Coordinates of all heavy atoms in Angstrom, one line a residue:
M1 N 13.3 18.3 -6.5 CA 11.9 18.4 -6.3 C 11.4 17.8 -5.0 O 12.0 16.7 -4.6 CB 11.2 17.7 -7.5 CG 9.7 17.7 -7.4 SD 8.9 17.3 -9.0 CE 8.3 18.9 -9.4
E2 N 10.4 18.3 -4.4 CA 9.9 17.9 -3.1 C 9.0 16.7 -3.3 O 8.2 16.7 -4.2 CB 9.2 19.0 -2.4 CG 8.9 18.8 -1.0 CD 8.4 20.1 -0.3 OE1 9.0 21.2 -0.5 OE2 7.4 20.0 0.4
N3 N 9.0 15.8 -2.3 CA 8.1 14.6 -2.4 C 6.7 15.1 -2.1 O 6.4 16.0 -1.3 CB 8.5 13.6 -1.3 CG 9.7 12.8 -1.8 OD1 10.0 12.6 -3.0 ND2 10.5 12.3 -0.8
S4 N 5.7 14.4 -2.7 CA 4.3 14.7 -2.5 C 3.9 14.0 -1.2 O 4.4 12.9 -0.8 CB 3.5 14.2 -3.7 OG 3.9 14.8 -4.9
L5 N 2.9 14.5 -0.6 CA 2.3 14.0 0.6 C 1.6 12.7 0.3 O 0.8 12.6 -0.6 CB 1.3 15.0 1.2 CG 0.6 14.6 2.5 CD1 1.7 14.4 3.6 CD2 -0.4 15.6 2.9
V6 N 1.9 11.6 1.1 CA 1.2 10.4 1.0 C 0.1 10.4 2.0 O 0.2 10.6 3.2 CB 2.2 9.2 1.4 CG1 1.4 7.8 1.3 CG2 3.4 9.2 0.5
R7 N -1.2 10.1 1.5 CA -2.4 10.2 2.4 C -3.0 8.8 2.4 O -3.0 8.1 1.4 CB -3.3 11.2 1.8 CG -2.8 12.6 1.8 CD -3.8 13.7 1.3 NE -4.8 13.1 0.3 CZ -4.6 13.3 -1.0 NH1 -3.6 14.0 -1.5 NH2 -5.6 12.8 -1.8
R8 N -3.7 8.6 3.5 CA -4.4 7.3 3.6 C -5.5 7.1 2.6 O -5.7 6.0 2.1 CB -5.1 7.2 5.0 CG -4.0 7.2 6.1 CD -4.7 7.3 7.5 NE -5.4 6.2 7.9 CZ -5.0 5.2 8.7 NH1 -3.7 5.2 9.1 NH2 -5.7 4.2 9.0
D9 N -6.1 8.2 2.1 CA -7.2 8.0 1.1 C -6.6 7.7 -0.3 O -7.4 7.5 -1.2 CB -8.1 9.3 1.1 CG -7.3 10.5 0.6 OD1 -6.1 10.6 0.6 OD2 -8.0 11.4 0.1
Q10 N -5.4 7.6 -0.5 CA -4.8 7.3 -1.8 C -4.6 5.8 -2.0 O -4.1 5.3 -3.0 CB -3.4 7.9 -1.9 CG -3.4 9.4 -1.9 CD -2.0 10.0 -1.9 OE1 -1.1 9.4 -1.3 NE2 -1.8 11.1 -2.5
F11 N -5.1 5.0 -1.0 CA -5.0 3.5 -1.1 C -6.3 2.8 -1.3 O -7.3 3.2 -0.7 CB -4.3 3.0 0.2 CG -2.9 3.5 0.4 CD1 -2.6 4.7 1.0 CD2 -1.8 2.7 0.0 CE1 -1.3 5.1 1.2 CE2 -0.5 3.1 0.1 CZ -0.3 4.3 0.7
N12 N -6.3 1.8 -2.1 CA -7.4 0.9 -2.3 C -7.0 -0.4 -1.5 O -6.0 -0.9 -1.7 CB -7.7 0.5 -3.7 CG -8.4 1.6 -4.5 OD1 -9.1 2.4 -3.9 ND2 -8.2 1.5 -5.8
I13 N -7.9 -0.8 -0.6 CA -7.7 -2.0 0.2 C -8.8 -3.0 0.0 O -10.0 -2.6 0.1 CB -7.6 -1.6 1.7 CG1 -6.6 -0.5 1.9 CG2 -7.2 -2.8 2.5 CD1 -6.6 0.1 3.3
S14 N -8.4 -4.3 -0.2 CA -9.4 -5.3 -0.3 C -8.7 -6.6 0.2 O -7.5 -6.6 0.4 CB -9.8 -5.5 -1.8 OG -8.8 -6.1 -2.5
P15 N -9.5 -7.7 0.3 CA -8.8 -9.0 0.7 C -7.7 -9.4 -0.3 O -6.8 -10.2 0.1 CB -10.0 -10.0 0.7 CG -11.2 -9.2 0.9 CD -10.9 -7.8 0.2
Q16 N -7.7 -8.9 -1.5 CA -6.7 -9.3 -2.5 C -5.4 -8.5 -2.3 O -4.4 -8.7 -3.0 CB -7.2 -9.1 -3.9 CG -8.3 -10.1 -4.3 CD -9.7 -9.9 -3.6 OE1 -10.1 -8.7 -3.5 NE2 -10.3 -10.9 -3.2
G17 N -5.4 -7.4 -1.5 CA -4.2 -6.6 -1.2 C -4.5 -5.2 -1.1 O -5.6 -4.7 -1.0
I18 N -3.4 -4.4 -1.2 CA -3.5 -2.9 -1.1 C -2.7 -2.3 -2.2 O -1.6 -2.8 -2.6 CB -3.0 -2.5 0.3 CG1 -3.1 -1.0 0.5 CG2 -1.6 -3.0 0.6 CD1 -2.9 -0.5 2.0
V19 N -3.3 -1.2 -2.7 CA -2.6 -0.5 -3.9 C -2.6 1.0 -3.6 O -3.6 1.6 -3.1 CB -3.4 -0.7 -5.2 CG1 -2.8 0.1 -6.3 CG2 -3.5 -2.2 -5.5
H20 N -1.4 1.6 -3.8 CA -1.3 3.1 -3.7 C -1.7 3.6 -5.1 O -1.0 3.4 -6.1 CB 0.1 3.5 -3.4 CG 0.3 4.9 -3.3 ND1 1.2 5.6 -4.1 CD2 -0.3 5.9 -2.5 CE1 1.2 6.9 -3.7 NE2 0.3 7.1 -2.8
K21 N -2.9 4.2 -5.2 CA -3.5 4.6 -6.5 C -2.6 5.5 -7.3 O -2.5 5.2 -8.5 CB -4.8 5.2 -6.3 CG -5.9 4.3 -5.7 CD -7.2 4.9 -5.5 CE -7.3 5.7 -4.2 NZ -8.6 6.2 -3.9
P22 N -1.9 6.5 -6.8 CA -1.2 7.4 -7.7 C 0.0 6.7 -8.3 O 0.4 7.0 -9.5 CB -0.6 8.5 -6.7 CG -1.6 8.5 -5.6 CD -2.0 7.1 -5.4
T23 N 0.6 5.7 -7.7 CA 1.9 5.1 -8.2 C 1.7 3.6 -8.7 O 2.6 3.1 -9.3 CB 3.0 5.1 -7.2 OG1 2.6 4.3 -6.1 CG2 3.3 6.5 -6.7
D24 N 0.6 3.0 -8.3 CA 0.3 1.6 -8.6 C 1.2 0.7 -7.8 O 1.3 -0.5 -8.1 CB 0.4 1.3 -10.1 CG -0.4 0.0 -10.4 OD1 -1.4 -0.2 -9.8 OD2 0.1 -0.7 -11.3
A25 N 1.9 1.2 -6.8 CA 2.6 0.4 -5.9 C 1.6 -0.5 -5.1 O 0.5 -0.1 -4.8 CB 3.5 1.2 -4.9
A26 N 2.0 -1.8 -4.9 CA 1.0 -2.7 -4.3 C 1.7 -3.8 -3.5 O 2.8 -4.2 -3.7 CB 0.2 -3.3 -5.4
F27 N 0.8 -4.3 -2.6 CA 1.2 -5.5 -1.8 C 0.0 -6.5 -2.0 O -1.1 -6.2 -1.8 CB 1.3 -5.3 -0.3 CG 1.5 -6.5 0.5 CD1 2.7 -7.2 0.5 CD2 0.4 -7.0 1.2 CE1 2.8 -8.4 1.2 CE2 0.6 -8.2 2.0 CZ 1.8 -8.9 2.0
T28 N 0.4 -7.7 -2.5 CA -0.6 -8.8 -2.7 C -0.2 -9.9 -1.8 O 0.9 -10.5 -1.9 CB -0.6 -9.3 -4.2 OG1 -0.8 -8.2 -5.0 CG2 -1.6 -10.3 -4.4
P29 N -1.1 -10.3 -0.8 CA -0.8 -11.3 0.1 C -0.8 -12.7 -0.5 O -1.6 -12.9 -1.5 CB -1.9 -11.2 1.2 CG -3.0 -10.6 0.5 CD -2.4 -9.7 -0.6
R30 N -0.1 -13.6 0.1 CA -0.2 -15.0 -0.3 C -1.5 -15.6 0.2 O -1.9 -15.3 1.3 CB 1.0 -15.8 0.3 CG 2.3 -15.4 -0.3 CD 3.4 -16.4 0.2 NE 4.7 -15.8 0.1 CZ 5.4 -15.6 -1.1 NH1 4.9 -16.1 -2.2 NH2 6.6 -15.1 -1.1
P31 N -2.1 -16.5 -0.5 CA -3.3 -17.2 0.0 C -3.0 -17.9 1.3 O -2.0 -18.6 1.5 CB -3.7 -18.2 -1.1 CG -3.0 -17.6 -2.3 CD -1.8 -16.9 -1.9
G32 N -3.9 -17.6 2.3 CA -3.7 -18.2 3.6 C -2.7 -17.5 4.5 O -2.6 -17.9 5.7
D33 N -2.0 -16.5 4.1 CA -1.1 -15.8 4.9 C -1.0 -14.3 4.6 O -0.3 -13.9 3.7 CB 0.3 -16.4 4.8 CG 1.3 -15.7 5.8 OD1 0.9 -14.8 6.6 OD2 2.5 -16.1 5.8
P34 N -1.9 -13.5 5.2 CA -2.0 -12.1 4.8 C -0.7 -11.3 5.2 O -0.6 -10.1 4.8 CB -3.2 -11.6 5.6 CG -3.3 -12.5 6.8 CD -2.8 -13.8 6.3
H35 N 0.2 -11.9 5.9 CA 1.4 -11.1 6.3 C 2.6 -11.4 5.5 O 3.7 -10.8 5.7 CB 1.7 -11.4 7.8 CG 0.5 -11.0 8.7 ND1 0.2 -9.7 8.9 CD2 -0.4 -11.7 9.4 CE1 -0.9 -9.6 9.7 NE2 -1.2 -10.8 10.0
S36 N 2.5 -12.2 4.5 CA 3.6 -12.4 3.5 C 3.0 -12.3 2.1 O 1.8 -12.6 1.9 CB 4.3 -13.7 3.7 OG 3.5 -14.8 3.4
G37 N 3.7 -12.0 1.2 CA 3.2 -11.8 -0.2 C 4.2 -11.2 -1.1 O 5.4 -11.1 -0.8
V38 N 3.7 -10.5 -2.1 CA 4.5 -9.9 -3.2 C 4.3 -8.4 -3.1 O 3.2 -7.9 -3.1 CB 4.0 -10.5 -4.6 CG1 4.8 -9.8 -5.7 CG2 4.2 -12.0 -4.6
W39 N 5.4 -7.7 -3.2 CA 5.5 -6.3 -3.2 C 5.8 -5.8 -4.6 O 6.7 -6.4 -5.3 CB 6.5 -5.8 -2.2 CG 7.0 -4.3 -2.5 CD1 8.1 -4.0 -3.1 CD2 6.3 -3.1 -2.2 NE1 8.2 -2.6 -3.2 CE2 7.0 -2.1 -2.6 CE3 5.0 -2.9 -1.6 CZ2 6.6 -0.7 -2.5 CZ3 4.6 -1.6 -1.5 CH2 5.5 -0.5 -1.9
R40 N 5.0 -4.9 -5.2 CA 5.3 -4.3 -6.5 C 5.5 -2.8 -6.3 O 4.7 -2.1 -5.7 CB 4.1 -4.6 -7.4 CG 4.3 -4.0 -8.8 CD 3.1 -4.2 -9.7 NE 2.0 -3.4 -9.3 CZ 0.8 -3.7 -9.0 NH1 0.4 -5.0 -9.0 NH2 -0.2 -2.9 -8.7
A41 N 6.6 -2.3 -6.8 CA 7.0 -0.9 -6.6 C 6.2 0.1 -7.5 O 6.1 1.3 -7.2 CB 8.5 -0.7 -6.8
G42 N 5.6 -0.4 -8.6 CA 4.9 0.5 -9.5 C 5.8 1.6 -10.0 O 6.9 1.4 -10.4
Q43 N 5.3 2.9 -9.8 CA 6.0 4.0 -10.3 C 6.6 4.8 -9.1 O 6.8 6.0 -9.3 CB 5.1 4.9 -11.2 CG 4.7 4.2 -12.4 CD 3.8 5.1 -13.3 OE1 3.3 6.2 -12.8 NE2 3.6 4.7 -14.5
L44 N 6.9 4.2 -8.0 CA 7.4 4.9 -6.9 C 8.8 5.5 -7.3 O 9.5 4.9 -8.0 CB 7.6 3.9 -5.7 CG 6.4 3.6 -4.9 CD1 6.8 2.6 -3.8 CD2 5.9 4.9 -4.2
D45 N 9.0 6.6 -6.7 CA 10.3 7.4 -6.9 C 10.5 7.9 -8.3 O 11.6 8.2 -8.7 CB 11.5 6.5 -6.4 CG 12.5 7.3 -5.7 OD1 12.2 8.5 -5.3 OD2 13.7 6.9 -5.6
Q46 N 9.4 7.9 -9.1 CA 9.4 8.5 -10.4 C 8.5 9.7 -10.5 O 7.5 9.7 -9.8 CB 9.0 7.4 -11.4 CG 9.8 6.2 -11.5 CD 9.2 5.2 -12.5 OE1 8.5 5.6 -13.5 NE2 9.5 4.0 -12.3
Q47 N 8.9 10.6 -11.3 CA 8.0 11.8 -11.4 C 6.8 11.3 -12.3 O 6.9 10.8 -13.4 CB 8.7 13.0 -12.0 CG 7.8 14.2 -12.1 CD 8.6 15.4 -12.4 OE1 9.8 15.4 -12.6 NE2 7.9 16.5 -12.5
L48 N 5.6 11.5 -11.7 CA 4.4 11.1 -12.4 C 3.9 12.3 -13.4 O 4.4 13.4 -13.3 CB 3.3 10.8 -11.4 CG 3.6 9.7 -10.4 CD1 2.5 9.5 -9.4 CD2 4.0 8.4 -11.1
A49 N 2.9 12.0 -14.2 CA 2.4 12.9 -15.2 C 2.1 14.3 -14.6 O 2.3 15.3 -15.2 CB 1.2 12.4 -15.9
G50 N 1.5 14.3 -13.4 CA 1.1 15.5 -12.7 C 2.2 16.2 -12.0 O 2.1 17.3 -11.4
G51 N 3.4 15.7 -12.1 CA 4.6 16.2 -11.4 C 4.9 15.7 -10.0 O 5.9 16.1 -9.4
N52 N 4.0 14.8 -9.5 CA 4.2 14.3 -8.2 C 5.3 13.2 -8.1 O 5.4 12.5 -9.1 CB 2.9 13.7 -7.7 CG 1.8 14.7 -7.5 OD1 2.1 15.9 -7.3 ND2 0.5 14.3 -7.5
I53 N 6.0 13.2 -7.0 CA 6.9 12.2 -6.7 C 6.6 11.7 -5.3 O 6.5 12.6 -4.4 CB 8.4 12.7 -6.8 CG1 8.7 13.1 -8.2 CG2 9.4 11.6 -6.3 CD1 10.1 13.7 -8.3
Y54 N 6.5 10.4 -5.1 CA 6.2 9.9 -3.7 C 7.4 9.2 -3.2 O 8.0 8.4 -3.9 CB 5.0 9.0 -3.8 CG 3.7 9.7 -4.2 CD1 3.3 9.8 -5.5 CD2 2.9 10.3 -3.2 CE1 2.2 10.5 -5.8 CE2 1.8 11.0 -3.5 CZ 1.4 11.1 -4.8 OH 0.3 11.8 -5.1
D55 N 7.7 9.4 -1.9 CA 8.8 8.7 -1.2 C 8.5 7.3 -1.0 O 7.5 7.0 -0.3 CB 9.0 9.4 0.1 CG 10.1 8.8 0.9 OD1 10.9 8.0 0.4 OD2 10.3 9.2 2.1
P56 N 9.2 6.4 -1.6 CA 8.9 4.9 -1.4 C 8.8 4.5 0.0 O 8.0 3.7 0.4 CB 10.1 4.2 -2.1 CG 10.6 5.3 -3.1 CD 10.4 6.6 -2.4
K57 N 9.7 4.9 0.9 CA 9.7 4.5 2.3 C 8.4 5.0 3.0 O 7.8 4.2 3.8 CB 10.9 5.1 3.0 CG 12.2 4.4 2.7 CD 13.3 5.0 3.4 CE 14.6 4.4 3.0 NZ 15.8 4.9 3.6
E58 N 7.9 6.2 2.6 CA 6.7 6.7 3.2 C 5.5 5.9 2.7 O 4.6 5.6 3.5 CB 6.5 8.2 3.0 CG 5.4 8.8 3.7 CD 5.6 8.9 5.2 OE1 6.6 8.4 5.8 OE2 4.6 9.3 5.9
V59 N 5.4 5.6 1.4 CA 4.4 4.8 0.9 C 4.3 3.4 1.5 O 3.3 3.0 1.9 CB 4.5 4.7 -0.7 CG1 3.5 3.7 -1.2 CG2 4.3 6.1 -1.3
Q60 N 5.5 2.8 1.6 CA 5.5 1.5 2.2 C 5.1 1.5 3.7 O 4.4 0.6 4.2 CB 6.9 0.9 2.1 CG 7.2 0.4 0.7 CD 8.6 -0.3 0.6 OE1 9.6 0.3 0.9 NE2 8.6 -1.5 0.2
R61 N 5.5 2.5 4.4 CA 5.2 2.7 5.9 C 3.7 2.8 6.0 O 3.1 2.0 6.8 CB 5.9 3.9 6.5 CG 5.6 4.0 8.0 CD 6.2 5.3 8.5 NE 5.5 6.5 8.1 CZ 4.3 6.9 8.5 NH1 3.7 6.3 9.4 NH2 3.8 8.0 8.0
I62 N 3.1 3.7 5.3 CA 1.6 3.9 5.4 C 0.9 2.6 4.9 O -0.1 2.2 5.5 CB 1.2 5.2 4.7 CG1 1.8 6.3 5.5 CG2 -0.3 5.2 4.7 CD1 1.5 7.7 4.9
M63 N 1.4 2.1 3.8 CA 0.7 0.9 3.3 C 0.8 -0.3 4.3 O -0.2 -0.9 4.5 CB 1.5 0.4 2.0 CG 0.9 -0.8 1.3 SD 1.7 -1.3 -0.2 CE 1.3 0.0 -1.3
S64 N 1.9 -0.4 5.0 CA 2.0 -1.5 6.0 C 1.0 -1.2 7.1 O 0.3 -2.1 7.6 CB 3.4 -1.5 6.5 OG 3.6 -2.5 7.5
E65 N 1.0 0.0 7.6 CA 0.0 0.4 8.7 C -1.4 0.1 8.3 O -2.2 -0.5 9.1 CB 0.2 1.8 9.1 CG 1.4 2.2 9.8 CD 1.6 3.7 10.0 OE1 0.6 4.5 9.7 OE2 2.6 4.1 10.5
L66 N -1.8 0.5 7.1 CA -3.2 0.3 6.7 C -3.5 -1.2 6.5 O -4.6 -1.6 6.9 CB -3.4 1.0 5.3 CG -3.4 2.6 5.4 CD1 -3.5 3.1 4.0 CD2 -4.6 3.0 6.2
W67 N -2.5 -1.9 6.0 CA -2.8 -3.4 5.8 C -2.9 -4.1 7.1 O -3.8 -4.9 7.2 CB -1.7 -4.0 4.9 CG -1.9 -5.4 4.6 CD1 -1.2 -6.5 5.1 CD2 -3.0 -6.0 3.8 NE1 -1.8 -7.7 4.6 CE2 -2.8 -7.4 3.8 CE3 -4.0 -5.4 3.1 CZ2 -3.7 -8.2 3.1 CZ3 -4.9 -6.2 2.4 CH2 -4.7 -7.6 2.4
I68 N -2.1 -3.8 8.1 CA -2.2 -4.4 9.4 C -3.5 -4.1 10.0 O -4.2 -5.0 10.6 CB -1.0 -4.0 10.3 CG1 0.3 -4.6 9.8 CG2 -1.2 -4.3 11.7 CD1 1.6 -4.0 10.4
E69 N -4.0 -2.9 9.9 CA -5.3 -2.5 10.4 C -6.4 -3.2 9.7 O -7.3 -3.7 10.4 CB -5.5 -1.0 10.3 CG -4.7 -0.1 11.1 CD -4.8 1.4 10.8 OE1 -5.7 1.8 10.0 OE2 -4.0 2.2 11.2
Y70 N -6.3 -3.3 8.4 CA -7.3 -4.0 7.7 C -7.4 -5.5 8.0 O -8.5 -6.1 8.2 CB -7.0 -3.9 6.2 CG -8.1 -4.5 5.3 CD1 -9.3 -3.9 5.0 CD2 -7.9 -5.8 4.7 CE1 -10.2 -4.4 4.2 CE2 -8.8 -6.3 3.9 CZ -10.0 -5.7 3.6 OH -10.9 -6.3 2.8
V71 N -6.3 -6.2 8.1 CA -6.2 -7.6 8.5 C -6.8 -7.8 9.9 O -7.6 -8.7 10.1 CB -4.8 -8.2 8.3 CG1 -4.7 -9.6 8.9 CG2 -4.4 -8.2 6.9
A72 N -6.4 -7.0 10.8 CA -6.9 -7.1 12.2 C -8.4 -6.9 12.3 O -9.1 -7.6 13.0 CB -6.2 -6.1 13.1
A73 N -9.0 -6.0 11.5 CA -10.4 -5.7 11.5 C -11.2 -6.7 10.7 O -12.4 -6.8 10.9 CB -10.6 -4.3 10.9
N74 N -10.5 -7.5 9.9 CA -11.2 -8.5 9.1 C -10.6 -9.9 9.2 O -10.4 -10.6 8.2 CB -11.2 -8.1 7.6 CG -11.9 -6.7 7.4 OD1 -13.1 -6.7 7.3 ND2 -11.1 -5.7 7.3
E75 N -10.2 -10.3 10.4 CA -9.5 -11.6 10.6 C -10.2 -12.8 10.0 O -9.6 -13.7 9.5 CB -9.4 -11.8 12.1 CG -8.3 -11.0 12.8 CD -8.1 -11.3 14.2 OE1 -8.1 -12.5 14.6 OE2 -8.0 -10.4 15.0
S76 N -11.6 -12.8 10.1 CA -12.3 -14.0 9.6 C -12.1 -14.2 8.1 O -12.2 -15.3 7.6 CB -13.8 -13.8 9.9 OG -14.3 -12.7 9.2
M77 N -11.8 -13.1 7.3 CA -11.5 -13.3 5.9 C -10.2 -14.0 5.6 O -10.0 -14.5 4.5 CB -11.5 -11.9 5.2 CG -12.8 -11.3 4.9 SD -12.7 -10.0 3.8 CE -12.6 -8.6 4.9
F78 N -9.3 -14.0 6.6 CA -8.0 -14.5 6.3 C -7.7 -15.8 7.1 O -6.6 -16.3 7.0 CB -6.9 -13.5 6.7 CG -7.1 -12.2 5.9 CD1 -7.7 -11.1 6.4 CD2 -6.6 -12.2 4.6 CE1 -7.8 -9.9 5.7 CE2 -6.7 -11.0 3.9 CZ -7.3 -9.9 4.4
Q79 N -8.7 -16.4 7.7 CA -8.6 -17.7 8.4 C -8.9 -18.8 7.4 O -9.7 -18.7 6.6 CB -9.5 -17.7 9.6 CG -9.2 -16.7 10.7 CD -10.2 -16.7 11.8 OE1 -11.2 -17.3 11.7 NE2 -9.8 -16.1 12.9
N80 N -8.1 -19.9 7.6 CA -8.3 -21.1 6.7 C -9.4 -21.9 7.2 O -9.8 -22.0 8.3 CB -7.0 -21.9 6.7 CG -5.9 -21.2 5.9 OD1 -6.2 -20.4 5.1 ND2 -4.7 -21.4 6.3

């Protein structure tokens, strides 16, 4: 089966972290350090109810790009 397209609009981003909505894969930053934290795979690489399968590497790549952009645009939220 072919992997489903990972799109930027599939992510929820907040100061508490970033979540890929279709799979519930997430990154939660450590307090005081937005560049380290906990990664949760959720349902990556599993066929979901709608038949979609998402490539874990692609989800992580886009998640990382979006998170870096978010932190850079909101630096004051992450300063001690």
Side-chain angles (χ1 to χ4, degrees):
M1 176 166 254
E2 195 171 312
N3 285 331
S4 298
L5 179 65
V6 180
R7 300 183 325 263
R8 294 171 73 92
D9 66 337
Q10 294 173 330
F11 294 85
N12 282 336
I13 307 170
S14 74
Q16 290 75 40
I18 182 168
V19 177
H20 182 239
K21 293 181 281 190
T23 63
D24 200 38
F27 172 76
T28 304
R30 294 186 198 285
D33 185 1
H35 299 291
S36 69
V38 177
W39 161 256
R40 180 182 73 233
Q43 296 179 349
L44 279 176
D45 217 17
Q46 297 177 27
Q47 187 169 356
L48 304 177
N52 294 334
I53 298 176
Y54 293 91
D55 178 11
K57 289 180 183 177
E58 188 66 4
V59 170
Q60 284 183 302
R61 182 185 70 76
I62 293 175
M63 183 180 287
S64 178
E65 288 174 7
L66 290 172
W67 183 248
I68 288 168
E69 290 172 12
Y70 182 80
V71 170
N74 298 283
E75 284 183 46
S76 62
M77 281 195 264
F78 298 100
Q79 293 175 349
N80 292 331

